[in-house]
Amino acid sequence: MSRSLGSLPPEPAAETVASRLRAVAQFLRRALPLCQAHTVEFYTRGLWEQLVALSPETVLEALSGAGLLRQQQRPLEEAASTARPGLWDNCKFSNVFCENSQKLVNVQFFALAAKYHSLPSLEVCTPLDQMLGALNGKQHERCEIKTEKFMNDKKSHEVEMMSKLIDSIANFCGIKQVIDLGSGKGYLSSFLSMQYNLKVYGIDSSNTNTYGANERNRKLKKHWRAYQSRAKANVRGQVLEEPKDRAVQDEMKCRANINEKLLSTNNSLLSQDQMASSDSVPLEITGAFIDSAMLKTSKQTETHLVAQTQSDGNKMSENAFSLLNILPADAVEAVSSSKYNLKLCEEEKEQRKMASIKAKASKSNDSNIYLPLTSYITAETELRDIITDLEDCIMVGLHTCGDLAPNTLRIFTAKPEIKAVCSVGCCYHLLTEEFENQKDCSLGLWGFPMCRYLKEEGWCCGRNARMSACLALERVAVSQVLPTESLFYRAVLQVIIEECYGVIKSDRHVGKIFSKSSSFVDYVRKSLKKLELDESKLPDSDIMDYYEKYKHRMNELEAFNMLKVVLAPCIEVLLLLDRLCYLKEKVCLLYILLP
């Protein structure tokens, strides 16, 4: 988001964004129960019979055949891409959900409606490539650091794409200061400071993360200087190669001119001597006179020509230095005047001296380009108390967790010195919701909802639905795998806990025991120990009886989770459009949504 639109692509009107939000909310009012239930309670609450009026085989066949989970077949996606705006605006979804039982009755239309209410179909976003093209002016060659050497593939991709966008926004707004909220280990901050020479303040609530970011940044600088040195050496070689060749050619040409002048003078003096000398003058004396005259004349001629050559060389050196001015200061410092074999004028020497001073100053301040800080950020945080030299800046955040993302937007709208914001939220399940728990009304500012419409409607997603918003449909489409077996183990374990131990809710969590278990029996016994339940009262045969009882219903759980995956992008859209509408209500701004 930027406070000045300039020549950027047109932003969607406030009413357009609001109408899209209302449409998504209308659809989710009917579909959200599928995601509000937790899979742990899948069998204990009979979720399939309660929410779906279809067989699991029908759902699995329809979704996989629709191409939502297979890239080679996409009939529903093609239908959604050709759907006219307003197709679902007045629809009562009677052909998707039963009006009486509220159960899902048509999985094909359900998938089509979910696709239509996902972000790419709502026409409220500008494609990233188009935005970068509009933001970018003149591009300078940079020493590219290879992020995959310091990060995993996922983090490397995120940091590279995010930093490219942030740098483009910063250049567009004419600012050099960046505030990275929730900076964590400093992946993004380090890259922005080194790759794009931006002054970055990374703020994180954890002292451990701040310390780790400092250490990681220190180590990264060593690798960065190596990359930079090699790149600058290549650039200097290309820039200086042509002036060096020209200097050699000019020197050879100068010497040729001197020899030519000497030869001409020699011939002239010989002619004069032959006319003025008598026959009695010895040849040796004549020769000595000629040599002396030639030597004197030669020195005068050479002095004149060398002076002319030096003047030409100075001009050439000035041109070369003007090229070097576009390089970093330490690249200029590394260029020695001896390489040109020319004398430098006083002005050039002064320029070189200043360049050297600037290079050293740049190196001495290098540690201040990225500064990790520790502070807990809220909507009321006064940034000047944390950053003393706060100036016009851009506020960014990669994976701003929970309420930090909406608070970032609140700070942006309240602080005029923050000229732009680029935020990617995460951990939606950690958002605070105003209408989720009516007993807790102590919190003044909530993570959701933010806009007036959803507040007036008293909208509530619930933690389980917000957790589902983190599911990645694209990841399932690529891997075609859901963790069905581990979820099945946990759902059956819940049946055992309730029926055999009478425990409905527990403050303890099973955690990641599945990967450490050799069988279902082993999984149950380890889980019971962790929950501090007496596992000795339950024989292995009883445990296996539960497994056999629900084994044939595993496909229900798989189909149910696929429905949640298909619906996940719509829940995320609701959260993002809520934030966009909030910004539209505050000021007329362009907001770059990065789901």
Side-chain angles (χ1 to χ4, degrees), residues 425-463:
C426 73
C427 300
Y428 299 127
H429 60 289
L430 297 179
L431 281 171
T432 57
E433 284 200 65
E434 183 175 0
F435 304 105
E436 183 177 18
N437 188 354
Q438 297 294 333
K439 295 180 181 180
D440 183 11
C441 301
S442 59
L443 189 63
L445 294 174
W446 304 85
F448 178 84
M450 297 182 72
C451 72
R452 282 195 298 265
Y453 170 73
L454 293 183
K455 281 181 174 292
E456 292 171 356
E457 293 289 314
W459 239 93
C460 176
C461 288
R463 188 180 188 277

Side-chain angles (χ1 to χ4, degrees), residues 181-231:
L181 297 185
S183 55
K185 296 181 180 179
Y187 292 102
L188 177 64
S189 298
S190 297
F191 193 76
L192 285 171
S193 65
M194 295 182 191
Q195 176 67 38
Y196 296 101
N197 199 31
L198 293 168
K199 187 173 184 178
V200 184
Y201 287 95
I203 304 177
D204 196 87
S205 61
S206 169
N207 275 317
T208 302
N209 281 344
T210 302
Y211 175 79
N214 269 314
E215 286 299 302
R216 186 181 175 282
N217 189 54
R218 179 181 60 81
K219 296 176 182 178
L220 188 58
K221 282 180 181 178
K222 296 180 180 179
H223 297 280
W224 172 247
R225 291 191 184 105
Y227 280 115
Q228 201 173 33
S229 298
R230 286 197 293 268

Side-chain angles (χ1 to χ4, degrees), residues 340-489:
Y340 295 108
N341 294 320
L342 297 171
K343 295 181 179 179
L344 299 176
C345 66
E346 291 301 321
E347 183 179 357
E348 287 176 306
K349 290 181 180 179
E350 187 64 23
Q351 288 176 337
R352 294 285 179 93
K353 182 179 178 180
M354 293 303 299
S356 177
I357 293 174
K358 289 180 180 180
K360 292 177 181 179
S362 175
K363 289 179 180 178
S364 64
N365 293 331
D366 184 58
S367 60
N368 295 327
I369 291 178
Y370 165 45
L371 182 62
L373 303 170
T374 302
S375 181
Y376 184 80
I377 300 296
T378 67
E380 291 86 9
T381 297
E382 182 54 59
L383 292 176
R384 290 194 181 276
D385 294 340
I386 305 172
I387 304 171
T388 56
D389 63 337
L390 183 66
E391 58 189 45
D392 288 352
C393 62
I394 174 174
M395 182 174 285
V396 305
L398 178 57
H399 299 316
T400 46
C401 186
D403 284 356
L404 182 57
N407 285 337
T408 297
L409 304 184
R410 290 187 173 105
I411 296 173
F412 169 69
T413 58
K415 305 296 181 183
E417 58 267 28
I418 303 176
K419 302 301 180 182
V421 62
C422 186
S423 177
V424 180
C426 73
C427 300
Y428 299 127
H429 60 289
L430 297 179
L431 281 171
T432 57
E433 284 200 65
E434 183 175 0
F435 304 105
E436 183 177 18
N437 188 354
Q438 297 294 333
K439 295 180 181 180
D440 183 11
C441 301
S442 59
L443 189 63
L445 294 174
W446 304 85
F448 178 84
M450 297 182 72
C451 72
R452 282 195 298 265
Y453 170 73
L454 293 183
K455 281 181 174 292
E456 292 171 356
E457 293 289 314
W459 239 93
C460 176
C461 288
R463 188 180 188 277
N464 291 334
R466 286 183 276 111
M467 178 75 81
S468 298
C470 301
L471 297 173
L473 175 61
E474 294 80 6
R475 184 178 298 174
V476 176
V478 172
S479 64
Q480 302 182 30
V481 174
L482 285 169
T484 304
E485 189 174 15
S486 62
L487 295 174
F488 173 74
Y489 275 23

